[in-house]
Amino acid sequence: MTTECAQNSAQHSGMVKLLSALFYAVSSFLITVVNKTVLTSYRFPSYAFLGIGQMITTIVVLYFAKKSRIVQYQNIDINICRKMFPLPLLYVGNHLTGLGSTKKLSLPMFTVLRKFTILMTMILEMYILRKTFSKSLVYSIMTIVLGASIAASSDLAFDMEGYIFILLNDAFTAANNVYIKKKLGVEGLGKYGVLFYNALIIVIPTILISALSGDLVEAVTFQDWTQVTFILCFLLSCVMGFVLMYSIVLCSHYNSALTTTVVGAIKNVAVAYIGIFVGGDYVFSWTNFLGLSICMSGGLLYSYLAFNTTSERTIEVKIDVTESPPVLHPVKD
């Protein structure tokens, strides 16, 4: 990404930034509910298979969109993997750990523990994108993390496997958002290229891993494939997977990676509070409720600072984005 690219990003109107953030928030809210329905209500055994369906949907939609000249992105060549690395690894890690944590945790606790993504993103932006942050933004972020810590401390439905999944998902999401911001400025890729090649590079290895682990067989032999309502929910999840990834890229294009992460963490104010009364898997406590409220207060403060002042614009201009040749390492999400 070049300095000119960063300056262009800083010049986007506040309304465009806000609308892209709202689009991401709504998409993230909807896919969380749909995935929860497929994985928990229907007890679908394979979150990996659901992720594969979302990747295939992304590939098919963007392929035919390009053929129809609706969108444009670079044709595949031998440099694509180099340009995309390590984004595909982060993409699949974010996908699979996100679906796994959705299955293991109640919706309110899922949304609470996702707040730690914000702190991770801020650290990665300082390290990778050389960004600086105002004290007000840092205080708002620490308020969100504090609220999450208070809420999580009273989780009476503790699930160690679920907590491991969600913390891994936080790390993958933070790295994914930062590298999406970085890769959007790579020549020839753009928004649609990042989406298409992310899914294309990783879908086959994911299918192979799923097959070798026996996960694929469990998914294919699932008994509810004969139910129309389940099939509709599964297909809706696949479509929403594409919509969510597009909304993340769009939000990252018009805003900073940190803003995208904050929006993703606070988008579910409704999920957190509705989950207290709906779903049956939330154990209420006043400590948890207080933590949720502190989280949302910090999120609202960040939103005000990002969209109503020059804080976000100032941050964007401070990015050190001198492009250097990428260093490839052995494949290590």
Side-chain angles (χ1 to χ4, degrees):
M1 185 165 64
T2 63
T3 304
E4 181 182 359
C5 179
Q7 291 173 341
N8 289 339
S9 177
Q11 292 170 358
H12 294 308
S13 71
M15 181 58 69
V16 171
K17 289 184 175 185
L18 179 60
L19 288 175
S20 65
L22 288 175
F23 177 45
Y24 170 43
V26 172
S27 301
S28 186
F29 171 85
L30 291 176
I31 196 171
T32 300
V33 175
V34 173
N35 285 345
K36 189 68 175 175
T37 301
V38 172
L39 295 170
T40 303
S41 298
Y42 284 99
R43 300 185 183 278
F44 186 65
S46 174
Y47 50 82
F49 188 83
L50 187 59
I52 291 169
Q54 294 172 353
M55 294 177 205
I56 291 175
T57 301
T58 299
I59 293 169
V60 171
V61 169
L62 289 178
Y63 175 80
F64 284 105
K66 184 178 182 182
K67 285 293 184 181
S68 304
R69 301 184 183 276
I70 297 173
V71 303
Q72 302 225 349
Y73 51 86
Q74 176 184 339
N75 293 326
I76 191 168
D77 61 34
I78 59 174
N79 294 317
I80 285 296
C81 288
R82 177 184 63 80
K83 288 183 177 181
M84 293 295 298
F85 187 85
L87 202 50
L89 301 178
L90 302 175
Y91 172 82
V92 73
N94 186 35
H95 241 83
L96 300 183
T97 56
L99 291 168
S101 56
T102 299
K103 183 177 182 179
K104 292 288 183 181
L105 297 173
S106 68
L107 278 177
M109 286 314 303
F110 174 84
T111 60
V112 165
L113 293 172
R114 287 287 288 155
K115 306 301 182 294
F116 291 98
T117 306
I118 302 170
L119 183 59
M120 296 179 186
T121 302
M122 183 175 68
I123 293 171
L124 286 176
E125 281 203 317
M126 288 189 293
Y127 177 73
I128 295 173
L129 299 181
R130 308 298 187 202
K131 297 181 71 171
T132 58
F133 300 92
S134 68
K135 288 184 178 179
S136 299
L137 283 172
V138 173
Y139 292 152
S140 67
I141 290 168
M142 297 310 298
T143 300
I144 297 171
V145 175
L146 173 64
S149 301
I150 293 173
S153 69
S154 69
D155 183 11
L156 303 180
F158 183 84
D159 184 320
M160 177 59 75
E161 187 177 354
Y163 273 48
I164 291 173
F165 266 112
I166 195 65
L167 291 176
L168 285 173
N169 186 229
D170 290 345
F172 279 122
T173 301
N176 187 65
N177 288 347
V178 170
Y179 273 98
I180 282 176
K181 184 69 177 180
K182 187 178 180 68
K183 297 300 180 182
L184 283 172
V186 175
E187 184 180 358
L189 288 179
K191 299 189 293 291
Y192 303 108
V194 167
L195 279 173
F196 181 80
Y197 290 115
N198 245 342
L200 184 65
I201 290 171
I202 210 65
V203 67
I204 302 253
T206 306
I207 292 173
L208 290 175
I209 292 172
S210 181
L212 292 174
S213 66
D215 192 70
L216 190 61
V217 174
E218 286 187 33
V220 172
T221 58
F222 182 57
Q223 60 184 8
D224 285 349
W225 283 115
T226 56
Q227 292 190 27
V228 175
T229 52
F230 169 74
I231 293 174
L232 290 176
C233 286
F234 184 88
L235 292 176
L236 181 59
S237 176
C238 291
V239 172
M240 284 306 304
F242 162 70
V243 173
L244 176 65
M245 288 308 302
Y246 176 67
S247 69
I248 290 173
V249 170
L250 199 65
C251 187
S252 297
H253 175 68
Y254 290 119
N255 299 283
S256 71
L258 182 61
T259 294
T260 300
T261 304
V262 171
V263 171
I266 68 170
K267 97 292 186 175
N268 40 23
V269 175
V271 174
Y273 289 108
I274 290 173
I276 294 174
F277 307 101
V278 178
D281 58 354
Y282 175 73
V283 180
F284 180 85
S285 76
W286 282 109
T287 303
N288 183 269
F289 183 78
L290 174 63
L292 285 175
S293 300
I294 293 174
C295 276
M296 300 315 164
S297 299
L300 291 174
L301 174 60
Y302 180 93
S303 299
Y304 174 80
L305 293 171
F307 297 116
N308 292 277
T309 72
T310 59
S311 299
E312 180 81 359
R313 192 170 292 113
T314 301
I315 292 171
E316 289 286 348
V317 174
K318 290 181 179 178
I319 302 176
D320 179 7
V321 289
T322 304
E323 188 72 40
S324 58
V327 180
L328 296 182
H329 300 282
V331 175
K332 45 172 192 173
D333 252 6

